[in-house]
Amino acid sequence: MSLAAPPPRARTLSPVLPVVAVVALLALPVSPGGEGGAGPADVLSALVVLFCAVRLLRQRRRPLSRTAAVILGLPVAGLALAAMGASSPGAGITGLGRYLQVFVLVPAAVLLLIRDRADFRLLAWSFVGLAGWQGAVGVHQYVTGTGASYQGEQIRAVGTFGPQDVMGMATVVSFGLVCAVGLALGRSPLRQRIVATACALALLLPLALSFSRGAWIATAVTCSVQLALAGMRRALRVGAAVAAAGVVLVGGFGVGTAMLQERVGSITQVTDAPDQSVTDRYTMWAASVGMWRDQPLTGVGLKGFPEHRDAHASLALSAGSDTDGAGAGFRRQPLLSPHNMYLLVLGEQGLAGLLALAGGWLALLVCAVRRLVLTRRLRAPGLDCALVASGLLVWQLTDFLYADIGGPSTVLTAVSLGLAAWWALAGGGGREEELAR
C-alpha cells in the first residue's frame, strides 16, 4: 500500500513565513541600556539564511540567476578588501559579517524564499502590521509623556526600540507607510486598497511624532516617486487625500505643535544657527571625507570610523548625544558613525567599496523601475508589488543620506532589500515578457 499524500495545507505552506517571523520579532521591546548587539531578529535572520541553504540543497536547483548573483555578490570583493585593512582581525570579521548579513545573505535568502506575488504581498503586509504596532506605541508615548527625551520633555515617539535607537521606530513606520502606499496604488481588490490607504494615512501621525528629519525627507521623496510612477491621475487624487489628512492632523488633533514646527524648520538650518545635532552630523561627514582622502581606494578599514574620527574631526564635534526616557535612564551615547551610509562606506571602504555597494543598489533600482514601467504599460498583474519594491529602494537610498546601518531595525533593511531584489531580479520575469510578444 502506498503512503498517503501529505495534506494540502502542509504542501502549500509558504517558505516566506520564517522571514515574516523575523519582521514580527521586531515588535518585541529592546532591553533598556542594551549595547546594540545582535537581537532576536538578527539571530532568526541567520537561521533563515541557513534554512534557505538547506532548502536549496534538497531541491538541487540553481539558486540565483547570473544577473542576480552578480548584483547581490558585487559588494563582497570590496568588503573583503576593507576587512583586511581593519585595525584588528576581530573588527574586520565583525564588520564583514554585519555587512554580508544586511546586504548580501539575508536579501538573497528573501529573494529565494518568495515564490510569487502572494508571498511578496504577505511580507509587505507584515511590514505594515509591524509599523502599525510600533506607531501605536509611539503615539501612546507622545500622549502620555513616556517617550524618549526631546528638548527636555519625554515626548519623542520611539516605539519599543528605546532611546538608544531613536531612528528605529521612524524606520519601521516609514517602511510600513511606503508598503501601504504601494499596495493602495496597485490593481488589487478595492477592499484591500481601501485598507492600505487607511493604514498609510494612520502612519503619518507616528512618523511625525518621531521627530526624525531624515525619515520625513525620505518618505516624502519616496511617496512622491510612487505616485508619479502610478500615474498622474492617481497622484492628484492621493495628493488631495494626503492634504486633507494633514489638515485633520494639524487642525483637529493639534499635531502642529511648536516643537514639531521647529523641527521641520531646522531641516533648512545648515549655516544659519544650526542645532548641535546638525553641527555634529556635518562635522562627522567632513571626518569621513578626510579618512577617504588618506586612503582613497580602500578606506581605513571596516569598523575604523570611531578610531580615526578624532584625528579628522574639528573641535565643533560634541562628545556625544544625550539619551533619556522611554524606560531607560540618562546616558551619554558616543558618536560612532557619520550618520550617512555613503560617507561611512567611503571612509571605511574607500572608493572601491562605495562603487561596489552603491553600484549594486542602483542596478537593483534600475531593474525594478524598468519592470514597473513594463508592467504598467502592458497592464500586467503585479503593479502593487512593483510600487512597493521600487518605493523601498528609493526610501532606503534617500535615507542613507541621513542615516547608516546600526541598531535592531537594521535587519528590516536587509529584508526590504530582499523584497526589492525579488521584484527586480525574479518577480517580474516571464509573464510581462510573454504579454509583450
Side-chain angles (χ1 to χ4, degrees), residues 34-329:
E35 295 297 328
D42 292 294
V43 174
L44 184 56
S45 72
L47 295 178
V48 167
V49 173
L50 180 61
F51 166 71
C52 181
V54 172
R55 189 167 178 267
L56 289 175
L57 290 174
R58 291 184 60 185
Q59 293 180 346
R60 297 181 181 179
R61 66 182 179 93
R62 182 178 177 180
L64 294 170
S65 67
R66 184 176 302 175
T67 302
V70 170
I71 292 178
L72 292 178
L74 194 60
V76 175
L79 290 171
L81 191 63
M84 290 189 291
S87 59
S88 67
I93 293 174
T94 302
L96 179 63
R98 184 61 159 167
Y99 274 93
L100 288 177
Q101 173 207 11
V102 177
F103 298 117
V104 180
L105 297 177
V106 173
V110 173
L111 183 157
L112 292 167
L113 292 175
I114 296 176
R115 299 171 303 181
D116 50 29
R117 290 187 296 273
D119 283 352
F120 184 101
R121 294 184 183 108
L122 174 62
L123 198 49
W125 277 110
S126 73
F127 273 51
V128 178
L130 175 65
W133 163 249
Q134 291 289 354
V137 174
V139 172
H140 178 267
Q141 291 170 335
Y142 177 84
V143 172
T144 60
T146 56
S149 178
Y150 180 74
Q151 294 187 2
E153 297 184 44
Q154 295 185 355
I155 58 170
R156 187 169 189 175
V158 292
T160 64
F161 294 100
Q164 66 271 20
D165 184 17
V166 294
M167 286 295 298
M169 190 210 76
T171 299
V172 169
V173 170
S174 298
F175 277 145
L177 197 153
V178 168
C179 289
V181 169
L183 292 166
L185 293 174
R187 301 191 185 102
S188 55
L190 179 60
R191 180 177 298 179
Q192 295 184 31
R193 283 184 279 139
I194 292 175
V195 173
T197 301
C199 291
L201 294 175
L203 290 173
L204 291 173
L205 178 57
L207 180 61
L209 299 180
S210 71
F211 293 98
S212 173
R213 293 169 293 200
W216 293 346
I217 295 171
T219 304
V221 169
T222 301
C223 292
S224 299
V225 171
Q226 286 178 302
L227 289 171
L229 291 173
M232 293 310 299
R233 288 184 179 180
R234 277 188 183 176
L236 292 175
R237 289 200 302 265
V238 177
V242 171
V247 171
V248 172
L249 288 176
V250 174
F253 296 101
V255 175
T257 63
M259 286 186 179
L260 188 56
Q261 294 172 3
E262 180 183 348
R263 189 68 167 175
V264 173
S266 69
I267 293 175
T268 59
Q269 286 182 329
V270 178
T271 58
D272 183 18
D275 59 34
Q276 186 59 47
S277 64
V278 174
T279 300
D280 287 340
R281 185 183 300 270
Y282 282 89
T283 303
M284 290 189 293
W285 287 8
S288 292
V289 174
M291 297 175 199
W292 168 68
R293 286 173 177 166
D294 286 349
Q295 299 288 338
L297 184 61
T298 60
V300 298
L302 293 180
K303 297 286 187 179
F305 181 86
E307 182 179 349
H308 294 81
R309 181 199 64 188
D310 293 340
H312 296 86
S314 69
L315 296 177
L317 183 66
S318 65
S321 60
D322 298 335
T323 63
D324 195 8

